[in-house]
Amino acid sequence: MKVTDILRLARENLRRRKGRTALTVIGVVVGTCAIVVMISLGLAMSQSIESMLASWGDLTQIQIYNYVYGSTDAPTLDDEMLASIKALEHVTAVTPYYQARNVNATIVAGKNDRYNSYFYETYGLYPDAVEALGIQLISGNYLTETTDVGKGKIPVLVGENFAYSFYDSTKDWNSSKYQVYQGQTDALGNPVDPFVNVEKDKMWIRLQTWDDDGNEKHEDYQMVVVGVMASDYAKGYFTDSGIVMRLADLKRLEQAYEKLAGKRSSGSASYMVGVNGGGMVAQQDNGYENVYVKVDSVDHVEEVEEIIQSYGYQTNSMVQTREAMQAQVAQTQFILGGLAAISLFVAALNIANTMTMAIYERTREIGVMKVLGCELGKIRTLFLVEAGGIGFLGGVIGVILSLIISFIMNNFALIAAVLGFGGAGMGDLSSIFGMYTDGSSAASVIPIWLILFALAFATLVGVLSGIMPAVRATKISALEAIRHE
Amino acid sequence: MTPVIEVTNLRKIYKVGNEKVYALNNVNLEIYPGEVCCIVGQSGSGKSTLLNQLAGLEKPTTGQVKILGKEISAMTENQLAKFRQENLGFIFQSYNLLPSMTAVENVALPLMFKGVSLQKRTQLAKAALAQMGLSRRANHKPTEMSGGQQQRVGIARAFVSHPKVVFADEPTGNLDSYTTKKVLYQMLSMAYQQGITFIMVTHEPELAACADRVITLLDGVVQSNHLLPVQEIEHNRAELFRELEETQE
Ligand SMILES: Nc1ncnc2c1ncn2[C@@H]1O[C@H](COP(=O)(O)OP(=O)(O)OP(=O)(O)O)[C@@H](O)[C@H]1O
Ligand SMILES: [Mg+2]
């Protein structure tokens, strides 16, 4: 007996009992639909979580928090320690994000130092780490140890919109001329240039201090922009409006300031902070307070982070957040998946029932087939193909229905608007579908593999539910069957 | 000449409650190639049981059945299925056509199990139906045909794959006497044309009178087993089919 003949017979048998076949297929359709839609919701959830996390920060980055209050077992986080972290496997770059917080300085530019900007978004980094950390430039070059812009001048990278951070010190702070905003236009609609052209105009870092009599003392260091960073909040606000310079240069400025101010302070000042119970504890100097470690891939972040933690440092990375959120999504998916599985299980019972009924109806037929020389295996295959056919058919319709449902969920607002029953109530509904999404991403995602999986799974469920009836069919005694009136 | 069918010490015992029913008790038989053989006897004498044993539809309690030198009583179900495809044909009292299929499809069924292509088997089935004088009913479903027509479809189905042996259990049991003759005539002519051994259970003495060999059973035992003289057979056949041949001319 040929395979094509078995397929043809199976098709005829299903067609012969259209009504019952249709009812059984509907069961599978519901089950398949439930599974596909549930999985697609889960996929969309984890997708939007990934993109949300990526927008919050770099997934392959570890931050070492080294703000120490009270005593600590952790060794001093100095350049030597950073070098040994850099030497760890999978680590591609390490740098402190050093801020000279006790330095009082202003950025000045323009005639009579008219335009001023702030110094506090200034970071000192190892120059070779800047590119490795994924900080992009929109123009110019990265800093290197050997970058030289003239004696006493400091090479820097500035944020994409650093130019807009300047204000006009001759104007009152609430005057409309006090500052130019990014995207500001004049009466004719032409964009307004910022006060300072950071790549052409001269700018100075002005260290300022006052003696006991209130007389200002200052010292200026010219800064030269060698590159402009692309604004990326995931890397930090400084890529938008701040300054990055070589760690050594920032330390040099700090020393110059201390000399000017006439006092010696440690690399990082001692701050007094309140702790539980209202007591005051001094912050200890334990080296760099804020260090970033870049790892070659997401998969190794946890490993590297554990090593760093074993030294006694506190760390933070997106991996922790990510795992917590993923666990939550997995739990939601598990519950949804369970519901879907139940509906498919019911469909499987349905198929088994239908096939068993078919056996009783076709006992005589099976007997005749046996007497005429049909092998047992073929009879079994015939029943399995029929059951699998019900599963496959249900799978196909279920997938099509899922695609429609998915489309409706993803375009709910649009469809509601088109049908003309938008409004607040409907808005609430669409926010339910999009509960884990940020609006831009889909509420339901159905990739090709999910479609293929659903078809295969529905067919498999059909075949599996057909096994028992099929085996039973082969056990029918031919003699009993043909006597059967 | 070697026999087509050889039965030795065949016993079939049914247990009903605590009681044993000896449906067949120590049957020994030989049937030779090309013979038309009738099994006769009273109701309950074991005719159907014997035929079922011969055809391998049931396993004997003891003893053996050999067909074409093969011991079918020892075959597995799948071996039997293959053996049936190649060598055996069946005609049932209640026709047993598949109700969802047309006459051609029913006739083509044994060929389908053998693996013959759709085109080829349809062609062969149509030819077999034509021989039965049923060309015009080829695409009818069983419910659209009379009993006699259905049985002729059944005969076409039994002979279509050119088996070595065809079995029939009261093939005319549900037909009127005229149709009975017609059906019998067609079965016999098919068997003779193709040299097929034909074994039939019947209650009707005039059918038995046309057989080469008549086996009479009584309470599960072979009471008599004898060949009829050739002249007598020919006389009986001429007698039986005379009016049939007259109407066909
Ligand atoms: N499956 C069975 N279970 C128990 N007893 C059976 C079974 N089949 C047949 N018998 C018994 O075996 C004996 C022979 O039955 P069988 O059907 O062979 O008779 P038969 O000669 O074909 O009769 P009929 O002419 O009425 O068809 C009977 O006594 C019958 O009751
Ligand atoms: Mg009988």
Side-chain angles (χ1 to χ4, degrees):
Chain A
M1 200 173 175
K2 290 198 167 73
V3 178
T4 49
D5 288 325
I6 292 181
L7 292 178
R8 191 180 298 124
L9 266 187
R11 193 189 59 200
E12 278 314 308
N13 285 332
L14 290 179
R15 188 178 290 172
R16 226 157 90 195
R17 293 174 178 86
K18 281 195 197 72
R20 202 167 60 200
T21 302
L23 283 178
T24 318
V25 166
I26 288 172
V28 184
V29 169
V30 172
T32 310
C33 235
I35 283 206
V36 172
V37 171
M38 293 309 163
I39 294 181
S40 82
L41 287 177
L43 287 177
M45 265 186 234
S46 31
Q47 245 182 36
S48 62
I49 280 179
E50 287 296 315
S51 64
M52 197 154 79
L53 288 172
S55 75
W56 286 352
D58 192 331
L59 291 174
T60 58
Q61 203 166 274
I62 300 168
Q63 189 182 5
I64 305 176
Y65 276 125
N66 193 34
Y67 301 93
V68 178
Y69 307 104
S71 62
T72 178
D73 294 335
T76 308
L77 192 55
D78 52 14
D79 290 317
E80 206 179 317
M81 188 67 209
L82 291 190
S84 64
I85 290 175
K86 173 88 194 282
L88 290 174
E89 207 183 343
H90 305 305
V91 173
T92 56
V94 175
T95 181
Y97 271 41
Y98 187 67
Q99 282 187 289
R101 280 196 304 223
N102 51 340
V103 169
N104 184 41
T106 310
I107 316 294
V108 297
K111 214 180 219 171
N112 300 324
D113 305 333
R114 182 174 172 181
Y115 303 115
N116 294 358
S117 180
Y118 308 100
F119 179 72
Y120 58 74
E121 264 310 304
T122 302
Y123 288 86
L125 270 63
Y126 290 156
D128 60 344
V130 176
E131 186 170 9
L133 280 170
I135 295 169
Q136 308 283 323
L137 297 187
I138 52 171
S139 67
N141 301 304
Y142 286 103
L143 294 167
T144 68
E145 294 292 357
T146 56
T147 305
D148 190 357
V149 289
K151 194 166 162 42
K153 296 178 185 172
I154 300 171
V156 297
L157 303 176
V158 295
E160 187 168 345
N161 297 309
F162 176 70
Y164 294 100
S165 72
F166 282 94
Y167 56 91
D168 187 344
S169 62
T170 64
K171 296 284 189 294
D172 193 53
W173 67 272
N174 54 8
S175 149
S176 64
K177 299 241 171 82
Y178 181 68
Q179 203 167 0
V180 174
Y181 300 99
Q182 190 208 343
Q184 192 174 331
T185 52
D186 61 18
L188 296 170
N190 299 314
V192 180
D193 285 333
F195 294 134
V196 179
N197 182 333
V198 295
E199 278 168 294
K200 292 211 182 91
D201 299 347
K202 283 186 176 169
M203 293 178 288
W204 289 269
I205 298 168
R206 172 163 296 170
L207 305 177
Q208 287 172 299
T209 185
W210 290 266
D211 63 17
D212 295 339
D213 302 330
N215 301 314
E216 195 207 292
K217 284 198 288 179
H218 67 77
E219 215 170 283
D220 288 349
Y221 291 84
Q222 192 179 342
M223 69 176 204
V224 178
V225 174
V226 296
V228 177
M229 296 177 281
S231 175
D232 180 359
Y233 287 101
K235 299 282 178 247
Y237 179 66
F238 65 87
T239 57
D240 187 74
S241 301
I243 298 169
V244 167
M245 64 177 68
R246 294 185 295 213
L247 183 64
D249 289 335
L250 187 55
K251 283 192 169 170
R252 208 151 50 79
L253 276 179
E254 200 171 35
Q255 277 162 13
Y257 176 79
E258 278 158 10
K259 213 167 136 198
L260 186 70
K263 60 183 174 191
R264 275 224 58 84
S265 77
S266 54
S268 58
S270 257
Y271 296 94
M272 296 301 283
V273 292
V275 294
N276 294 347
M280 301 298 271
V281 176
Q283 188 188 339
Q284 307 294 308
D285 180 5
N286 196 36
Y288 297 114
E289 293 168 344
N290 195 7
V291 169
Y292 279 83
V293 179
K294 179 82 175 175
V295 180
D296 56 5
S297 93
V298 180
D299 303 331
H300 297 133
V301 171
E302 207 175 347
E303 181 184 333
V304 172
E305 195 171 5
E306 271 167 16
I307 296 174
I308 296 172
Q309 280 172 348
S310 75
Y311 296 160
Y313 300 116
Q314 283 189 31
T315 62
N316 184 31
S317 74
M318 280 296 174
V319 167
Q320 294 168 353
T321 323
R322 183 166 166 252
E323 275 170 2
M325 291 182 92
Q326 277 172 340
Q328 205 203 330
V329 169
Q331 196 187 350
T332 316
Q333 267 176 304
F334 190 74
I335 295 167
L336 296 179
L339 291 174
I342 289 172
S343 60
L344 206 62
F345 180 68
V346 172
L349 290 182
N350 240 331
I351 297 177
N353 182 47
T354 297
M355 295 314 295
T356 309
M357 275 172 76
I359 289 175
Y360 287 125
E361 277 171 19
R362 279 152 61 183
T363 300
R364 191 190 187 84
E365 200 175 309
I366 294 163
V368 173
M369 285 169 70
K370 278 186 164 185
V371 174
L372 296 183
C374 185
E375 291 116 309
L376 296 187
K378 307 289 162 146
I379 292 173
R380 192 166 45 225
T381 310
L382 177 64
F383 272 80
L384 291 181
V385 169
E386 283 179 34
I390 290 175
F392 180 73
L393 205 63
V396 170
I397 301 173
V399 164
I400 293 172
L401 210 61
S402 307
L403 288 171
I404 295 171
I405 291 172
S406 167
F407 178 82
I408 291 175
M409 286 197 294
N410 289 340
N411 298 281
F412 197 80
L414 181 75
I415 291 168
V418 168
L419 296 182
F421 52 73
M426 287 298 147
D428 289 350
L429 251 184
S430 56
S431 70
I432 290 172
F433 290 137
M435 52 194 164
Y436 283 92
T437 73
D438 53 12
S440 62
S441 53
S444 156
V445 178
I446 302 183
I448 295 285
W449 68 258
L450 181 54
I451 292 177
L452 297 180
F453 163 79
L455 291 181
F457 194 63
T459 311
L460 183 72
V461 166
V463 172
L464 290 182
S465 353
I467 288 180
M468 226 173 59
V471 169
R472 213 144 140 192
T474 60
K475 294 225 172 98
I476 286 175
S477 146
L479 196 59
E480 297 283 321
I482 55 177
R483 267 196 202 138
H484 192 96
E485 290 299 331
Chain B
M1 200 160 51
T2 52
V4 191
I5 299 179
E6 249 185 297
V7 178
T8 39
N9 302 329
L10 183 65
R11 268 207 177 85
K12 182 70 191 178
I13 304 168
Y14 292 112
K15 281 209 180 86
V16 182
N18 287 330
E19 221 177 312
K20 284 183 175 176
V21 179
Y22 284 76
L24 292 175
N25 202 351
N26 205 20
V27 172
N28 289 282
L29 282 178
E30 283 179 354
I31 296 167
Y32 291 88
E35 279 181 3
V36 170
C37 170
C38 269
I39 302 173
V40 296
Q42 294 167 357
S43 183
S45 57
K47 303 183 293 294
S48 296
T49 308
L50 177 59
L51 195 81
N52 293 337
Q53 305 293 320
L54 296 184
L57 295 179
E58 235 183 345
K59 291 261 181 272
T61 309
T62 58
Q64 45 172 247
V65 177
K66 274 188 179 174
I67 300 181
L68 299 162
K70 302 254 166 56
E71 193 183 337
I72 61 159
S73 40
M75 285 184 184
T76 65
E77 280 233 50
N78 271 329
Q79 287 171 326
L80 260 174
K82 279 270 173 219
F83 188 79
R84 286 193 190 121
Q85 283 175 14
E86 294 302 323
N87 305 303
L88 308 182
F90 291 88
I91 301 167
F92 306 92
Q93 178 176 0
S94 46
Y95 326 130
N96 275 329
L97 302 179
L98 299 196
S100 58
M101 294 183 174
T102 63
V104 198
E105 286 168 342
N106 265 293
V107 174
L109 217 48
L111 296 171
M112 181 170 92
F113 298 145
K114 261 176 119 166
V116 178
S117 76
L118 178 65
Q119 203 189 3
K120 185 80 193 290
R121 66 179 189 247
T122 307
Q123 189 192 332
L124 289 172
K126 277 188 174 153
L129 279 174
Q131 260 184 306
M132 291 291 124
L134 283 174
S135 291
R136 289 167 53 215
R137 303 272 178 248
N139 293 317
H140 285 217
K141 294 261 171 82
T143 47
E144 299 157 357
M145 287 184 283
S146 73
Q149 287 167 340
Q150 286 186 56
Q151 192 57 301
R152 278 144 70 200
V153 174
I155 294 167
R157 182 175 67 183
F159 285 94
V160 74
S161 56
H162 300 291
K164 306 289 188 302
V165 185
V166 171
F167 297 97
D169 191 351
E170 300 186 47
T172 59
N174 293 350
L175 304 175
D176 64 40
S177 70
Y178 175 74
T179 317
T180 295
K181 284 178 195 166
K182 200 166 162 183
V183 164
L184 181 69
Y185 179 75
Q186 280 172 320
M187 287 189 294
L188 291 185
S189 47
M190 289 292 263
Y192 277 124
Q193 272 171 32
Q194 299 180 16
I196 291 170
T197 310
F198 184 67
I199 300 167
M200 173 171 75
V201 170
T202 185
H203 274 295
E204 308 193 29
E206 44 177 355
L207 297 193
C210 302
D212 300 313
R213 180 188 295 275
V214 176
I215 298 167
T216 313
L217 289 183
L218 183 66
D219 293 335
V221 180
V222 179
Q223 198 185 31
S224 73
N225 172 4
H226 57 85
L227 288 170
L228 294 181
V230 180
Q231 282 168 349
E232 197 184 322
I233 300 169
E234 269 169 12
H235 171 78
N236 290 345
R237 279 190 191 154
E239 195 71 0
L240 185 62
F241 298 138
R242 189 174 48 217
E243 51 176 321
L244 210 58
E245 274 158 1
E246 279 168 5
T247 54
Q248 271 189 345
E249 273 158 24

